[in-house]
Amino acid sequence: MPSTPHRIVIAGGGVAGIEALLALHALAADRVELTLVAPTEHFVYRPLAVAEPFALGRPRRTPLADAARAADATFVQAPLAAVDAAARTVRLGDGQELAYDSLLLATGAATEPAFADGVLTWDGSAGADALSGLLRDLEEGYSKRLAIVVPPGPGWPLPAYELALLIAGEAHGMGVRPEITLVTPEQAPLAIFGSRAVEVITEELERAAVRVELGAYATLESGPPRALLLRPSGRRLEVERVLALPRLRGRVPDGIPADPDGFIAVDPHGRVAGVEAVWAAGDGIAFPVKFGGLAAEQADAAAADIAAGAGAPVERKPFRPVLRGRLLTSRGPRYMRYDAGGGGGEGEATTHTLWWPPGKVAGRWLAPWLAARDEEAIADHLPHSGGLPVQTDLHRDVLAS
């Protein structure tokens, strides 16, 4: 063991940052000196934000100082401004400089509206009030045609399906049946989860009377009447309200190369292309699917590589994407799993849990840590308005895969 600990700075207080922090502590605790840098005070578990307007859950907040304490790390609350790779230092927004031997960037992505003013953007941070007016208009019959739009580019389409299904269930429960259309560039509903998930989601959409426009790119036409122009078909879709997921851009610090949208190129171990001793993971890297579970897997690959470099007896394992998604519906959650790195076949889609703990983000280190602190954050027994009770067969071996 070296006499001087290997100094590791982790920039980012989201899923990838906390997963990497906990992983490095577990893999190389006696060999490393960990520092967590983040601009905010709390880790916010956002996957349940879409459930809050429907009383099915809410985002959870955990002090980042608690995560740092659990990993015997130092927490510095400040944004990361710049990286001097030659000197191996980072400059923070408050003027501080920190030296590192290894740097892991987990600074995430920024959101921006996909449409101009007048369209409600759902980015998971606006809270329940953002949808209250829309739901009230639909339930009282003032708006009868709603489009939910997935924009092109890197992102995560699952919340659009949750919004469509939950809004439809809420409206039907009030005795009204608005026309709800989901517009997406995907070639099949949630095709990233494999053919079995496509079958299950298609059935859910049909049951909820949600229409889907596949392979479509929407632009907003000026009205009245308000309409979306769908390309490449050229068809017009007249609507009264539009709800859209945001576009994403990377949050790259000065001194780190990135593509025109601010995303960082990395190799399968998370090493940043063209820069020594710097790794990146999470929504800020140049990977087309942005999802907390994948961010955790990317963080695990980077953490193992960093730990091995620090002398820990750890096997370096490249990032191999395994998608695990929990889709909220008014009839209860649907669990989906697909090995996108190969060997996934048709994938799995079912009403019982396919990993443990059964949260929406299946991080190997983050999920058990959250479960030990806050059972509600990963609750498997979310209330639902109909259908059969959700089974609770627990496949604990999935998490270790």
Side-chain angles (χ1 to χ4, degrees):
M1 185 179 70
S3 57
T4 303
H6 189 89
R7 298 166 300 176
I8 302 173
V9 173
I10 300 168
V15 168
I18 304 306
E19 176 76 10
L21 178 75
L22 298 172
L24 282 162
H25 175 65
L27 298 174
D30 58 343
R31 299 174 182 270
V32 297
E33 179 182 285
L34 298 171
T35 301
L36 177 67
V37 175
T40 57
E41 183 181 357
H42 292 89
F43 165 73
V44 182
Y45 187 80
R46 296 195 187 281
L48 287 177
V50 72
E52 187 175 13
F54 309 94
L56 294 176
R58 59 187 176 86
R60 314 292 291 180
R61 301 171 70 86
T62 302
L64 287 172
D66 290 357
R69 192 176 302 113
D72 294 328
T74 300
F75 172 53
V76 179
Q77 185 179 343
L80 179 67
V83 176
D84 186 335
R88 297 201 179 181
T89 61
V90 295
R91 188 180 79 249
L92 307 185
D94 61 3
Q96 289 188 73
E97 282 196 357
L98 299 177
Y100 65 83
D101 298 306
S102 294
L103 170 64
L104 175 57
L105 300 173
T107 48
T111 62
E112 61 182 29
F115 295 96
D117 293 342
V119 171
L120 178 59
T121 299
W122 178 263
D123 64 3
S125 63
D129 291 343
L131 283 182
S132 60
L134 171 61
L135 291 172
R136 185 168 56 251
D137 282 357
L138 294 173
E139 291 168 2
E140 295 178 1
Y142 296 117
S143 297
K144 298 180 180 179
R145 290 173 296 182
L146 167 68
I148 299 174
V149 180
V150 179
W156 181 237
L158 188 141
Y161 290 85
E162 292 183 313
L163 288 166
L165 293 169
L166 291 172
I167 289 172
E170 186 87 355
H172 297 171
M174 297 294 292
V176 294
R177 291 190 171 269
E179 295 179 15
I180 300 176
T181 303
L182 194 154
V183 180
T184 175
E186 303 163 284
Q187 296 305 306
L190 291 182
I192 55 176
F193 282 104
S195 59
R196 178 59 186 144
V198 170
E199 294 174 5
V200 169
I201 302 310
T202 298
E203 180 183 342
E204 290 289 342
L205 293 166
E206 290 175 351
R207 185 188 297 270
V210 174
R211 196 172 109 201
V212 184
E213 291 282 352
L214 295 167
Y217 300 83
T219 56
L220 188 64
E221 289 191 336
S222 57
R226 171 170 282 190
L228 293 174
L229 178 62
L230 305 182
R231 299 185 184 280
S233 69
R235 215 166 58 74
R236 293 178 73 254
L237 176 66
E238 291 191 5
V239 295
E240 290 161 339
R241 298 293 298 270
V242 179
L243 174 62
L245 299 187
R247 295 186 188 274
L248 300 181
R249 293 193 179 276
R251 290 194 185 104
V252 61
D254 290 344
I256 298 296
D259 68 18
D261 291 321
F263 295 110
I264 303 169
V266 299
D267 74 6
H269 296 278
R271 304 166 190 148
V272 175
V275 184
E276 292 291 328
V278 180
W279 288 254
D283 288 355
I285 71 170
F287 191 77
V289 183
K290 310 298 183 183
F291 172 52
L294 292 180
E297 293 171 16
Q298 293 156 2
D300 288 341
D305 198 50
I306 294 170
V314 177
E315 180 184 358
R316 289 179 165 95
K317 292 185 177 181
F319 167 56
R320 175 177 170 172
V322 178
L323 288 162
R324 299 176 179 92
R326 189 174 78 177
L327 177 79
L328 302 180
T329 81
S330 60
R331 303 191 315 128
R334 301 292 179 265
Y335 295 86
M336 300 168 293
R337 184 185 186 278
Y338 185 72
D339 186 349
E346 296 181 347
E348 299 174 85
T350 180
T351 57
H352 63 260
T353 57
L354 295 171
W355 57 87
W356 182 257
K360 284 176 75 68
V361 174
R364 182 174 185 179
W365 306 101
L366 174 62
W369 181 71
L370 283 177
R373 294 178 50 85
D374 185 355
E375 291 184 0
E376 186 177 339
I378 53 87
D380 183 41
H381 52 278
L382 290 172
H384 53 91
S385 59
L388 297 174
V390 177
Q391 301 177 33
T392 57
D393 299 331
L394 305 180
H395 301 268
R396 299 172 186 265
D397 59 323
V398 173
L399 189 63
S401 64

